[in-house]
Amino acid sequence: MSGRASTSAGMAKECAGKLEEEKDYDEAIKMYQKAAQLYTMDNQATSGQTCDLKANELMIISKNWDQIPKIIKVFEKVAKKYLTQSMLKSSALDLFF
Protein backbone atom coordinates (compact mmCIF):
# COMPACT_ATOMS: atom_id res chain seq x y z
CA MET A 1 0.00 0.00 0.00
CA SER A 2 2.82 2.41 0.78
CA GLY A 3 3.94 2.63 -2.84
CA ARG A 4 0.44 3.39 -4.02
CA ALA A 5 -0.12 6.08 -1.39
CA SER A 6 3.17 7.72 -2.30
CA THR A 7 2.35 7.62 -6.01
CA SER A 8 -1.11 9.03 -5.37
CA ALA A 9 0.34 11.77 -3.17
CA GLY A 10 2.80 12.74 -5.89
CA MET A 11 0.02 12.90 -8.45
CA ALA A 12 -2.16 14.99 -6.13
CA LYS A 13 0.74 17.38 -5.51
CA GLU A 14 1.39 17.68 -9.24
CA CYS A 15 -2.29 18.40 -9.89
CA ALA A 16 -2.25 21.01 -7.13
CA GLY A 17 0.72 22.70 -8.77
CA LYS A 18 -1.07 22.86 -12.12
CA LEU A 19 -4.20 24.24 -10.48
CA GLU A 20 -2.10 26.82 -8.68
CA GLU A 21 -0.55 27.91 -11.98
CA GLU A 22 -4.07 28.39 -13.34
CA LYS A 23 -4.90 30.40 -10.19
CA ASP A 24 -7.64 27.96 -9.19
CA TYR A 25 -6.59 28.28 -5.58
CA ASP A 26 -9.63 26.63 -3.98
CA GLU A 27 -9.08 23.39 -5.90
CA ALA A 28 -5.30 23.60 -5.48
CA ILE A 29 -5.77 23.87 -1.71
CA LYS A 30 -7.90 20.74 -1.70
CA MET A 31 -5.33 18.83 -3.73
CA TYR A 32 -2.41 19.95 -1.54
CA GLN A 33 -4.39 18.86 1.52
CA LYS A 34 -5.12 15.49 -0.09
CA ALA A 35 -1.44 15.08 -0.98
CA ALA A 36 -0.46 15.93 2.61
CA GLN A 37 -2.90 13.33 3.91
CA LEU A 38 -1.54 10.66 1.56
CA TYR A 39 2.09 11.47 2.34
CA THR A 40 1.35 11.29 6.06
CA MET A 41 -0.40 7.96 5.55
CA ASP A 42 2.76 6.74 3.82
CA ASN A 43 4.98 7.87 6.73
CA GLN A 44 6.50 10.70 4.67
CA ALA A 45 5.91 13.43 7.23
CA THR A 46 8.24 16.01 5.68
CA SER A 47 6.51 15.84 2.31
CA GLY A 48 3.14 15.98 4.04
CA GLN A 49 4.17 19.04 6.02
CA THR A 50 5.39 20.74 2.86
CA CYS A 51 2.00 20.22 1.23
CA ASP A 52 0.18 21.43 4.35
CA LEU A 53 2.27 24.60 4.37
CA LYS A 54 1.63 25.15 0.66
CA ALA A 55 -2.13 24.78 1.21
CA ASN A 56 -1.87 27.34 4.04
CA GLU A 57 0.01 29.74 1.80
CA LEU A 58 -2.70 29.50 -0.84
CA MET A 59 -5.44 30.02 1.76
CA ILE A 60 -3.74 33.27 2.75
CA ILE A 61 -3.21 34.35 -0.88
CA SER A 62 -6.85 33.66 -1.70
CA LYS A 63 -7.92 35.58 1.42
CA ASN A 64 -9.80 32.73 3.06
CA TRP A 65 -9.95 34.65 6.33
CA ASP A 66 -12.51 32.27 7.80
CA GLN A 67 -9.77 29.61 7.72
CA ILE A 68 -7.35 31.58 9.93
CA PRO A 69 -7.83 29.33 13.02
CA LYS A 70 -7.10 26.25 10.90
CA ILE A 71 -4.11 27.93 9.26
CA ILE A 72 -2.65 28.81 12.67
CA LYS A 73 -3.13 25.24 13.93
CA VAL A 74 -1.30 23.81 10.91
CA PHE A 75 1.59 26.28 11.27
CA GLU A 76 1.90 25.44 14.97
CA LYS A 77 1.68 21.68 14.34
CA VAL A 78 4.43 21.79 11.72
CA ALA A 79 6.57 24.13 13.85
CA LYS A 80 6.35 21.73 16.81
CA LYS A 81 7.49 18.87 14.57
CA TYR A 82 10.35 21.03 13.30
CA LEU A 83 11.47 21.55 16.91
CA THR A 84 12.01 17.81 17.27
CA GLN A 85 14.38 17.70 14.29
CA SER A 86 17.75 19.34 14.84
CA MET A 87 18.20 20.40 11.21
CA LEU A 88 14.80 22.12 11.11
CA LYS A 89 14.77 23.81 14.53
CA SER A 90 15.82 27.18 13.12
CA SER A 91 12.90 27.09 10.65
CA ALA A 92 10.34 26.58 13.41
CA LEU A 93 10.48 30.22 14.46
CA ASP A 94 9.08 31.31 11.08
CA LEU A 95 5.94 29.22 11.65
CA PHE A 96 4.90 30.34 15.13
CA PHE A 97 2.50 33.27 15.44
Side-chain angles (χ1 to χ4, degrees), residues 23-85:
K23 303 210 182 316
D24 188 353
Y25 296 134
D26 290 334
E27 290 301 315
I29 290 165
K30 291 177 189 173
M31 293 304 290
Y32 276 123
Q33 290 172 333
K34 186 64 174 175
Q37 179 185 19
L38 290 166
Y39 278 128
T40 302
M41 220 171 66
D42 197 33
N43 295 320
Q44 295 184 32
T46 303
S47 296
Q49 292 165 2
T50 301
C51 290
D52 275 335
L53 292 174
K54 190 64 180 177
N56 272 7
E57 179 186 321
L58 293 180
M59 280 188 247
I60 293 168
I61 289 171
S62 62
K63 300 179 181 175
N64 287 343
W65 305 130
D66 59 318
Q67 296 293 319
I68 291 293
K70 181 180 179 182
I71 292 169
I72 291 170
K73 285 181 184 178
V74 170
F75 278 135
E76 288 178 344
K77 180 182 91 174
V78 173
K80 286 176 184 176
K81 287 186 181 183
Y82 279 10
L83 288 174
T84 64
Q85 300 171 8

